[in-house]
Amino acid sequence: MKNIESNLALLIGPTATIREALKQIDINQEGALFVVDERRFLLGVLTDGDIRRAIIRGKQLTETINTLYNTQPYSVLKKEFDLAVIRKVLVEKRYDVIPILEIDGVIIGYETWAELLGGDENQSHERVIEVPVVIMAGGKGTRMAPFTTVLPKPLIPIGEKTILELIIDQFGRFGVKDYYITINYRGEMIKAYFDCIERDYSIEYIKESDFFGTAGSLKLLPQNLGDTFIVSNCDIIVKADFAEVLDFHRATKAALTVLSSIQHHTVPYGVIKFEQGGRVLEIEEKPEFSFCINTGVYILNRECLSYIPDGKVFHMTDLMAALMSDGKQVVTYPINEREYIDIGQWEEYQKAIILLKGQ
């Protein structure tokens, strides 16, 4: 049992805002929060999934969490603590974290999937998804110069692996074995690299004759691709539950689902609000703003390909606009800030190295 004192960022009060809850989930890295009163009496459990569903329903980040959390979560009394039982529950219920309580309901500890089962090769936390993944790896990567004057961006190393291998590893957790990689700039180097390493997945290369934008090369995909597939940029890593994303995509009857990341940014100055004539109404010191950004990962139905013109520059934003203007359903699946890692520019590349070392 892990003592709750070792990760106090797991605790949150019922009057906290959704924004505050998102930040704490980013800090504690367990995907959940224990909602407690001032005595640490457990009131409920709030997961990142609870927050995601609330945001999709239209809840604002400034609203409180007091109606969002599960008030009857699974928990274990310290005196009844049994590791074998907890293991069984984690596997059957697919919980990420389980609170451990004193007899009076005060939380004193917790157990996690990662701690108990993360190293067990016979256990799998993720459901297998039977869809292919398309990785768009044909760009010049100008933001990463001078590396990319020699190497294609997908082969830039982070630790002992390339960016492209790390992206494939994320999907590999869900049993994905079939990959399509669109190539153009220094594409032969990408092929040569993957021909030389040991791997348990297949790759089919899609060669662009020119630079067709972020969606144009999808037109070159084979006819036997399947009804649904995932598309990812080659310079980002998204740590989402892709089985859940696919469930969401199908439940909403979407033609395209774009994964978005909730980002928080603070203006480092006092912001002045004033009216006509210059009269100051309010000075807000270092205000914080939150918004969803496009991560560059998408779920697409095959029908989307018919909206992409042949041999022309066409971006994913163009595709989404074309779908929406035709009455097709385009939806977003929001993830938390820390679940999105951008490796496409030098400053973010340095951050990615630190984040991935700690995963």
Side-chain angles (χ1 to χ4, degrees):
M1 178 183 73
K2 299 177 74 172
N3 193 303
I4 194 65
E5 298 290 338
S6 67
N7 195 351
L8 290 176
L10 276 164
L11 303 180
I12 196 166
T15 60
T17 66
I18 295 174
R19 179 187 285 131
E20 290 168 339
L22 283 169
K23 287 183 174 181
Q24 281 195 219
I25 287 178
D26 262 348
I27 294 168
N28 71 45
Q29 300 185 54
E30 299 294 359
L33 293 166
F34 301 131
V35 185
V36 296
D37 65 13
E38 63 279 358
R39 298 180 298 114
R40 294 191 184 175
F41 177 86
L42 183 69
L43 302 173
V45 173
L46 178 72
T47 68
D48 53 0
D50 295 327
I51 296 175
R52 182 179 302 110
R53 287 184 287 272
I55 292 171
I56 291 170
R57 291 197 307 269
K59 289 283 188 180
Q60 300 300 306
L61 298 184
T62 52
E63 296 185 54
T64 65
I65 63 170
N66 62 352
T67 62
L68 307 184
Y69 59 88
N70 177 10
T71 58
Q72 296 183 311
Y74 179 85
S75 61
V76 175
L77 292 178
K78 179 184 177 182
K79 68 174 186 175
E80 298 172 354
F81 183 86
D82 186 320
L83 206 54
V85 172
I86 291 178
R87 281 177 178 268
K88 186 172 184 291
V89 171
L90 284 169
V91 172
E92 291 180 353
K93 302 294 186 181
R94 312 186 80 84
Y95 294 140
D96 286 312
V97 60
I98 292 176
I100 313 297
L101 311 178
E102 289 284 15
I103 191 69
D104 59 359
V106 171
I107 185 168
I108 57 167
Y110 63 100
E111 286 290 359
T112 70
W113 173 284
E115 186 75 17
L116 291 183
L117 300 167
D120 188 341
E121 295 179 359
N122 296 317
Q123 300 287 354
S124 176
H125 196 195
E126 285 81 17
R127 288 181 288 150
V128 171
I129 57 175
E130 297 181 355
V131 298
V133 171
V134 181
I135 303 175
M136 312 294 280
K140 291 182 178 180
T142 53
R143 293 186 303 166
M144 292 292 285
F147 261 10
T148 48
T149 59
V150 177
L151 283 175
K153 181 167 61 176
L155 294 188
I156 290 176
I158 295 184
E160 297 181 356
K161 292 189 176 184
T162 64
I163 292 174
L164 198 47
E165 287 173 282
L166 291 172
I167 293 170
I168 290 172
D169 284 350
Q170 287 298 314
F171 292 112
R173 294 168 52 212
F174 298 89
V176 175
K177 297 294 184 183
D178 299 320
Y179 296 88
Y180 296 84
I181 300 181
T182 67
I183 57 173
N184 189 335
Y185 177 73
R186 301 199 185 282
E188 293 304 317
M189 293 181 69
I190 296 173
K191 290 176 64 177
Y193 179 84
F194 279 90
D195 285 344
C196 293
I197 64 172
E198 291 186 13
R199 51 188 172 88
D200 61 353
Y201 48 85
S202 67
I203 296 177
E204 184 173 332
Y205 299 97
I206 309 297
K207 172 68 173 172
E208 288 182 300
S209 60
D210 202 345
F211 293 100
F212 293 139
T214 55
S217 60
L218 296 177
K219 193 71 171 182
L220 304 174
L221 290 169
Q223 293 298 312
N224 62 350
L225 185 66
D227 294 331
T228 305
F229 55 96
I230 298 172
V231 176
S232 173
N233 287 351
C234 71
D235 55 3
I236 54 93
I237 293 175
V238 167
K239 296 182 176 181
D241 182 340
F242 282 96
E244 185 177 292
V245 177
L246 283 164
D247 288 344
F248 175 77
H249 174 80
R250 289 161 178 155
T252 56
K253 295 180 169 50
L256 184 151
T257 296
V258 53
L259 276 75
S260 57
S261 173
I262 302 167
Q263 301 283 306
H264 312 283
H265 292 273
T266 301
V267 177
Y269 309 103
V271 174
I272 299 173
K273 297 179 182 179
F274 62 93
E275 64 180 2
Q276 187 175 359
R279 189 171 75 88
V280 174
L281 300 175
E282 179 186 355
I283 299 177
E284 188 176 2
E285 189 63 28
K286 298 181 180 179
E288 183 177 38
F289 299 92
S290 301
F291 42 83
C292 287
I293 65 164
N294 183 354
T295 66
V297 177
Y298 314 86
I299 313 296
L300 274 71
N301 292 348
R302 167 167 287 282
E303 65 175 319
C304 295
L305 301 181
S306 65
Y307 290 81
I308 302 174
D310 291 314
K312 292 183 179 180
V313 175
F314 199 72
H315 297 295
M316 292 299 296
T317 49
D318 299 324
L319 176 57
M320 287 187 276
L323 290 167
M324 289 186 289
S325 67
D326 197 33
K328 300 295 182 181
Q329 180 91 319
V330 175
V331 300
T332 190
Y333 181 97
I335 62 172
N336 213 351
E337 188 169 28
R338 196 180 177 90
E339 294 171 324
Y340 164 68
I341 302 173
D342 179 7
I343 318 172
Q345 49 189 322
W346 278 115
E347 183 180 349
E348 297 303 322
Y349 173 77
Q350 297 296 330
K351 291 180 185 177
I353 292 174
I354 296 169
L355 285 171
L356 291 168
K357 276 183 179 178
Q359 69 175 359

